[in-house]
């Protein structure tokens, strides 16, 4: 191996590193300058993973927010209406007359801050700064640098570093535990090009985990950040092309000074602010938040060693005025936190959470049973004084659709809302183990407020149609789960080991069949169309699914399920419960739910 590597320049402004899908559905690798100049020519980002694409999108949006901030166009005395007017006028001007000149000028002015090498390496600290930040025994010394050059191969980790294969979030493999199903072979796991490094560096700062052992020195103990994107349930709007996507997510209604991380004098100043745990009050600083002080050392053969020290993470509570890309939940004492998904909810389709994004009315439907004839009881918890905040992005899209300045741009426009998740291991290292993404399309006119409170679809509004549909699906779910539970008890016994598994399989089958149908139904809703007909359309889908559920169970019924068992009712009567009585009861409920 020849010692030929010399540190040089790799600048994100002029060098190619962003993977995009062009109009011919081919992947191109382009620079920041090319991206913003030709944003309308690219369909989407096309990196190694959807989580990486989201990280890069937020980075690109930080540049847009900084370039087009309204901070100099409003005054501290302006009210909300005046700020919104300034933001909407600015947004419309960009959308209608976009030229990349302003963005390119900003990038060129700050070009030195976007180089992977140099005195101020992008998203990194220098060796001197790293040694100033970490304890003495964690510093980069002569021995570690010697070990770096003496490595037998790429897989050998230098003390205090993370390997490239752990840095790449599609592998996330530690030195001790191999990833048997990695997307790259052993030969290439620890190899990385400069363009890959740029993409993964941005992604790593958002999705970090807690496997590294080093943290910066600090007077107070702190928990190192796992990466901000692990702390939220990210959703964003997808447009017809990359320019459209940027514009839909360009939320300009903040008068605060925008300050991305690269505008700090040096990384130590930025890290000193992180030590205070003060939350950034501007979206660019949030979108470029660093979770690690990263120092990349290169050996004589061009092999990187990634030194990483954990940084403090500010609290995510009550941060809905800045973070626009997540839904929220209100806890006791009115603490508002991002509404993250639990591991068992990871693959739940996004449409099942529509109510978190589009405010819907409350709907009550009866399934014909006595237990359901009463209004559902609310949980025995004190009602929070504070209402659950709306998703900031959806509030912004609603403002764009309904304000006279911009409404013509979004009228009858199909919007796509996308959810991207990276699942952390439940082990102490918290490394990514799986990813998931989902989306649904909807007509922007659904964001138009309505005055009607009618529960009659013939005279009601489209939001009632959606709420009504979701409530019917909830009741079908409950009825199907109860029927499956009864049949499992007939098949395996009242306390059979396979009962829960059987019920979960039947419920999962329901949603597997419903997911695509509901998304298609939802995306085709015309707010001015026949809502009764639209409701009947979904009811027919549910009838077919529940009919197939019954048919499958009838066909596979064993003699034990047919003969049934004797049970005692709540009023003391003795009756026979078999597959026919169970499915007849189920059928009765479905007819009432879908009538």
């Amino acid at each position: 191996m020849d010692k030929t590597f010399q540190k040089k320049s790799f600048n994100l402004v002029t060098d190619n590193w962003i993977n995009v899908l062009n109009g011919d559905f081919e992947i191109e690798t382009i620079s920041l300058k090319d991206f913003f100049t030709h944003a309308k020519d690219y369909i989407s980002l096309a990196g190694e993973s959807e989580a990486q694409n989201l990280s890069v999108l937020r980075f690109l949006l930080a540049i847009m927010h900084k370039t087009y901030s309204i901070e100099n166009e409003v005054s501290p005395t302006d009210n909300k209406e005046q700020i919104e007017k300034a933001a909407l006028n600015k947004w419309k001007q960009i959308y209608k007359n976009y030229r990349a000149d302003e963005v390119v000028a900003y990038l060129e002015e700050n070009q030195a801050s976007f180089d992977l090498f140099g005195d101020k390496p992008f998203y990194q600290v220098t060796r001197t700064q790293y040694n100033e930040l970490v304890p003495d025994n964690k510093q980069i010394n002569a021995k570690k640098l010697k070990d770096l050059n003496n490595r037998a191969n790429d897989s050998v980790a230098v003390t205090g570093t993370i390997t490239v294969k752990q840095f790449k979030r599609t592998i996330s493999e530690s030195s001790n535990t191999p990833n048997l199903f990695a997307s790259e072979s052993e030969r290439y796991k620890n190899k990385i090009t400069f363009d890959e490094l740029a993409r993964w560096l941005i992604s790593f700062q958002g999705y970090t985990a807690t496997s590294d052992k080093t943290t910066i020195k600090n007077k107070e103990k702190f928990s190192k950040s796992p990466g901000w994107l692990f702390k939220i349930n990210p959703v964003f709007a997808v447009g017809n092309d990359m320019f459209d996507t940027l514009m839909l997510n360009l939320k300009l209604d903040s008068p605060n000074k925008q300050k991305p991380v690269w505008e700090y004098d040096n990384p130590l100043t930025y890290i000193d602010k992180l030590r205070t745990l003060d939350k950034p009050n501007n979206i660019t600083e949030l979108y470029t938040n660093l979770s690690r002080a990263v120092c990349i050392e290169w050996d004589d053969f061009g092999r990187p060693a990634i030194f990483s020290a954990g940084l403090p993470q500010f609290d995510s509570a009550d941060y809905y005025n800045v973070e626009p890309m997540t839904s929220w939940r209100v806890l006791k004492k009115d603490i508002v936190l991002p509404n993250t998904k639990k591991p068992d909810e990871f693959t739940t389709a996004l449409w099942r959470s529509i109510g978190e994004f589009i405010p819907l009315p409350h709907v009550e439907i009866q399934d014909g049973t006595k237990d359901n004839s009463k209004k559902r009881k609310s949980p025995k918890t004190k009602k929070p004084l504070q209402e659950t905040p709306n998703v900031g992005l959806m509030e912004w899209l609603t403002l764009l659709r309904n304000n006279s300045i911009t409404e013509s741009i979004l009228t009858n426009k199909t919007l796509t809302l996308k959810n991207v998740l990276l699942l952390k291991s439940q082990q102490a290292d918290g490394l990514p183990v799986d990813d998931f993404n989902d989306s649904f399309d909807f007509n922007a006119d659904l964001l138009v407020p309505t005055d009607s409170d009618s529960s009659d679809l013939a005279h009601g509004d489209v939001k009632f149609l959606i709420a009504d549909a979701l409530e019917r699906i909830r009741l079908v779910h409950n009825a199907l789960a109860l029927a499956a539970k009864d049949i499992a008890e007939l098949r395996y016994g009242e306390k059979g080991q396979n009962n829960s598994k059987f019920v979960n399989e039947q419920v999962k089958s329901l949603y597997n069949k419903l997911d695509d149908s509901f998304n298609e139904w939802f995306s085709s809703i015309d707010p001015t169309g026949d809502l009764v007909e639209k409701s009947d359309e979904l009811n027919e889908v549910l009838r077919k699914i529940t009919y197939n559920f019954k048919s499958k169970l009838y066909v596979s019924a064993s003699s034990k399920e047919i003969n049934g068992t004797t049970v005692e009712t709540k009023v003391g009567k003795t009756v026979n419960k078999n597959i026919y009585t169970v499915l007849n009861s189920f059928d009765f409920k479905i007819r009432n739910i879908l009538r």
Side-chain angles (χ1 to χ4, degrees):
M1 191 181 290
D2 296 327
K3 295 185 178 183
T4 56
F5 180 78
Q6 293 181 347
K7 289 185 179 179
K8 55 176 185 176
S9 168
F10 187 88
N11 198 289
L12 277 60
V13 176
T14 54
D15 288 309
N16 296 331
W17 67 277
I18 307 173
N19 280 357
V20 292
L21 189 68
N22 65 23
D24 294 324
F25 295 95
E26 297 173 338
I27 295 177
E28 286 184 42
T29 306
I30 58 174
S31 66
L32 276 174
K33 189 182 291 188
D34 287 338
F35 174 84
F36 285 110
T37 302
H38 304 290
K40 295 181 181 180
D41 297 333
Y42 305 120
I43 298 171
S44 65
L45 295 173
E48 283 82 351
S49 72
E50 290 293 345
Q52 184 194 90
N53 290 338
L54 172 61
S55 302
V56 173
L57 175 64
R58 284 168 69 99
F59 165 72
L60 297 169
L61 282 168
I63 295 171
M64 291 281 283
H65 276 97
K66 176 58 187 178
T67 304
Y68 297 114
S69 170
I70 63 169
E71 61 193 68
N72 295 322
E73 300 174 26
V74 293
S75 70
T77 58
D78 285 349
N79 59 32
K80 181 181 178 182
E81 185 178 342
Q82 291 170 315
I83 292 170
E84 286 181 349
K85 183 177 180 181
L88 292 168
N89 279 320
K90 187 68 172 278
W91 190 92
K92 182 179 181 179
Q93 178 188 358
I94 302 165
Y95 194 91
K96 292 289 189 181
N97 307 297
Y98 176 73
R99 294 177 62 188
D101 301 11
E102 288 182 72
V103 186
V104 170
Y106 174 78
L107 291 172
E108 290 177 341
E109 181 183 346
N110 295 272
Q111 190 162 333
S113 299
F114 292 97
D115 204 304
L116 291 180
F117 299 93
D119 297 331
K120 192 181 179 184
F122 175 76
Y123 271 33
Q124 303 161 68
V125 296
T126 64
R127 186 194 307 170
T128 302
Q129 291 166 341
Y130 187 85
N131 286 344
E132 186 176 335
L133 288 167
V134 301
D136 293 347
N137 64 336
K138 299 292 185 179
Q139 293 179 1
I140 304 170
N141 53 32
K143 182 182 182 305
K144 290 179 181 178
L145 293 175
K146 182 179 179 180
D147 291 343
L148 175 60
N149 275 313
N150 290 338
R151 288 182 294 172
N153 57 60
D154 298 331
S155 300
V156 178
V158 177
T159 303
T161 66
I162 58 174
T163 58
V164 169
K165 64 184 179 181
Q166 190 171 327
F167 183 70
K168 295 178 181 179
R169 302 286 79 173
T170 48
I171 303 176
S172 298
E173 179 181 312
S174 69
S175 299
N176 302 320
T177 309
N179 183 346
L180 299 178
F181 304 100
S183 58
E184 297 182 32
S185 67
E186 198 65 37
R187 180 179 177 183
Y188 294 101
K189 284 180 181 179
N190 279 298
K191 295 185 184 300
I192 194 166
T193 59
F194 291 151
D195 61 299
E196 286 179 300
L197 177 63
R199 294 191 296 273
W200 283 124
L201 183 56
I202 293 171
S203 183
F204 179 76
Q205 294 287 8
Y207 295 102
T208 314
T210 52
S211 58
D212 45 350
K213 302 297 188 292
T214 306
T215 58
I216 64 168
K217 294 180 291 187
N218 198 50
K219 291 180 180 178
E220 303 291 336
K221 286 187 177 182
F222 66 88
S223 298
K224 56 189 172 186
S225 170
W228 177 255
L229 291 175
F230 268 138
K231 296 173 72 69
I232 65 175
N233 182 19
V235 290
F236 58 97
V238 179
N240 299 324
D241 53 50
M242 275 313 304
F243 173 73
D244 204 30
T245 295
L246 288 171
M247 291 304 299
L248 291 173
N249 294 282
L250 188 64
K251 189 174 181 289
L252 292 176
D253 58 345
S254 171
N256 296 336
K257 178 178 174 60
Q258 300 296 318
K259 191 171 183 178
V261 64
W262 56 79
E263 288 198 358
Y264 278 81
D265 293 337
N266 66 66
L268 299 184
T269 307
Y270 171 75
I271 290 169
D272 280 342
K273 183 178 179 183
L274 288 181
R275 284 185 168 111
T276 68
L277 300 180
D278 287 345
K279 300 173 187 176
N281 69 350
N282 65 96
I283 204 167
T284 60
E285 192 170 342
L286 172 63
Y287 280 4
T288 59
N289 171 247
L290 302 184
S291 62
R292 292 295 181 273
V294 170
C295 178
I296 303 178
E297 292 287 342
W298 300 82
D299 68 10
D300 294 339
F301 309 106
R303 300 177 301 187
I306 305 167
F307 292 86
S308 171
L311 299 175
Q313 176 71 73
F314 49 84
D315 187 10
S316 61
D318 302 319
Y319 201 39
Y320 46 87
N321 288 325
V322 180
E323 174 56 75
M325 289 189 179
T326 190
S327 54
W328 303 89
R329 57 197 171 101
V330 180
L331 305 183
K332 294 178 180 179
K333 299 182 180 179
D334 285 347
I335 296 173
V336 180
L337 291 176
N339 194 21
T340 53
K341 283 188 176 181
K342 299 174 183 177
D344 59 345
E345 301 170 334
F346 192 63
T347 58
T348 301
L350 186 60
W351 67 262
R352 291 169 65 181
S353 305
I354 283 174
E356 295 178 12
F357 308 110
I358 301 174
L360 300 173
H362 179 71
V363 172
E364 286 288 344
I365 298 172
Q366 308 304 323
D367 67 3
T369 63
K370 292 182 179 179
D371 289 342
N372 186 249
S373 62
K374 299 177 182 178
K375 189 174 181 179
R376 271 187 287 157
K377 295 180 180 179
S378 55
K380 295 180 180 179
T381 55
K382 184 179 179 181
K383 184 178 180 181
L385 298 176
Q386 180 172 341
E387 291 185 4
T388 304
N390 295 324
V391 178
L393 173 62
M394 297 305 295
E395 284 190 333
W396 174 248
L397 292 174
T398 301
L399 181 63
L400 290 175
R401 172 58 187 84
N402 295 307
N403 192 282
S404 59
I405 297 172
T406 52
E407 65 176 337
S408 62
I409 297 173
L410 264 68
T411 297
N412 204 33
K413 181 179 177 68
T414 298
L415 300 177
T416 299
L417 198 66
K418 188 167 186 174
N419 179 215
V420 172
L421 292 168
L422 203 57
L423 180 64
K424 289 191 300 181
S425 162
Q426 297 303 297
Q427 305 300 319
D429 58 18
L431 285 172
V433 292
D434 199 3
D435 57 33
F436 175 76
N437 71 90
D438 192 25
S439 63
F440 64 77
D441 299 337
F442 66 100
N443 190 314
D445 291 354
L446 291 181
L447 302 176
V448 177
T450 53
D451 296 326
S452 173
D453 292 324
S454 173
S455 60
D456 178 1
L457 284 176
H459 303 93
D461 64 67
V462 68
K463 291 180 182 176
F464 177 83
L465 167 70
I466 299 167
D468 179 79
L470 292 175
E471 177 64 3
R472 290 181 195 279
I473 290 170
R474 186 190 72 82
L475 291 174
V476 168
H477 169 137
N478 290 350
L480 186 145
L482 180 60
K485 175 179 175 292
D486 287 341
I487 290 170
E489 290 176 356
L490 290 172
R491 183 174 296 186
Y492 305 114
E494 188 173 350
K495 296 183 180 180
Q497 292 183 346
N498 292 319
N499 287 14
S500 295
K501 180 182 177 182
F502 179 80
V503 173
N504 290 337
E505 286 175 350
Q506 302 309 313
V507 171
K508 184 178 179 180
S509 177
L510 164 68
Y511 285 110
N512 284 343
K513 293 172 182 175
L514 186 56
D515 284 347
D516 288 342
S517 297
F518 185 90
N519 279 333
E520 184 179 345
W521 175 84
F522 186 69
S523 64
S524 64
I525 292 175
D526 178 2
T528 62
D530 187 332
L531 302 188
V532 174
E533 182 180 329
K534 203 65 189 170
S535 178
D536 290 343
E537 185 181 311
L538 183 63
N539 284 349
E540 187 59 31
V541 170
L542 291 168
R543 287 190 188 96
K544 288 179 179 178
I545 291 174
T546 53
Y547 176 81
N548 289 336
F549 166 75
K550 292 185 299 179
S551 300
K552 182 179 177 181
L553 291 175
Y554 276 133
V555 169
S556 63
S558 64
S559 57
K560 184 189 289 188
E561 294 164 55
I562 294 171
N563 294 328
T565 184
T566 301
V567 296
E568 188 173 312
T569 66
K570 291 180 180 179
V571 294
K573 290 184 178 180
T574 300
V575 296
N576 182 259
K577 182 170 77 172
N578 56 47
I579 191 168
Y580 300 109
T581 60
V582 169
L583 292 182
N584 282 343
S585 175
F586 171 73
D587 198 42
F588 174 77
K589 291 178 183 178
I590 295 301
R591 286 198 304 272
N592 278 281
I593 294 167
L594 302 181
R595 63 185 176 185

